[in-house]
Amino acid sequence: MFMQKTLSLIKPDATERNITGSINIRFEQAGLRIIAQKRLWLTKTQSEQFYKIHKERAFYDSLCEYMSSGPIVAQILYGKNAVAKNREIMGATNPANAEIGTVRRDFGQSIERNTVHGSDSFENAEIEISFFFSLLEIIE
Ligand code: IDP
Ligand code: MG
């Protein structure tokens, strides 16, 4: 068990419905700590940069359009096995396939509007954290 940081995004479908607190209580109750947090409204270009690993996928343009359609909350979660723990709390990409009690099952609206993002590996967490945060903004 390693203490890790991971990037979490609360997506526009959730800020629109005013449910960021209902989501974050799940992370905290599972033992993850929010050690950095800010609300942003990404441009389409910024969304495209963040999701560039998906640029060949059919859903890329729609995903980037959606991610820049309203505010998001970017945050760093810190704790034991934070990368995997966050993915467990989030649930599967498609809310219809996500386990009962996960954020995506309980709040997700579709495979695209699935409420939260979480880094999928330690390496990607480092890259994604540095996309959104500088060292000065991280209170460990
Ligand atoms: P993940 O967020 O569970 O890691 P990824 O495959 O990395 O899933 O996809 C990134 C995001 O792209 C998803 O969270 C979702 O918003 C969107 N997405 C993934 N697959 C589809 C799809 O088949 N149709 C539309 N949007 C999708
Ligand atoms: Mg992913």
Side-chain angles (χ1 to χ4, degrees):
M1 299 277 264
F2 293 103
M3 297 301 278
Q4 288 178 337
K5 297 195 277 285
T6 191
L7 184 81
S8 163
L9 300 179
I10 301 180
K11 295 182 174 182
D13 69 87
T15 59
E16 185 184 1
R17 288 178 287 157
N18 198 28
I19 56 171
T20 65
S22 306
I23 293 163
N24 277 337
I25 197 166
R26 307 244 180 141
F27 298 132
E28 293 186 342
Q29 283 178 344
L32 295 176
R33 184 173 293 266
I34 301 166
I35 62 165
Q37 188 180 58
K38 59 186 162 190
R39 183 169 286 237
L40 303 160
W41 192 323
L42 299 179
T43 63
K44 178 97 185 279
T45 303
Q46 289 169 333
S47 294
E48 287 167 356
Q49 285 166 347
F50 179 71
Y51 276 119
K52 64 176 187 261
I53 53 161
H54 291 309
K55 68 174 183 295
E56 308 304 333
R57 310 287 290 276
F59 59 78
Y60 177 66
D61 189 65
S62 173
L63 171 64
C64 296
E65 197 65 56
Y66 155 62
M67 286 299 288
S68 52
S69 69
I72 63 165
V73 177
Q75 50 197 13
I76 302 174
L77 306 179
Y78 177 76
K80 282 182 195 158
N81 284 332
V83 173
K85 171 74 76 181
N86 180 38
R87 299 281 303 191
E88 193 182 304
I89 298 163
M90 288 164 51
T93 306
N94 187 347
N97 301 332
E99 283 193 44
I100 291 168
T102 61
V103 171
R104 283 168 162 175
R105 175 65 172 258
D106 293 348
F107 299 112
Q109 298 182 310
S110 70
I111 190 167
E112 180 175 86
R113 298 171 65 88
N114 61 0
T115 311
V116 282
H117 166 85
S119 308
D120 63 5
S121 67
F122 178 80
E123 294 72 24
N124 284 335
E126 297 287 304
I127 294 166
E128 293 179 357
I129 285 169
S130 63
F131 184 89
F132 284 102
F133 294 96
S134 80
L135 275 181
L136 282 174
E137 295 174 301
I138 303 171
I139 316 298
E140 274 198 47

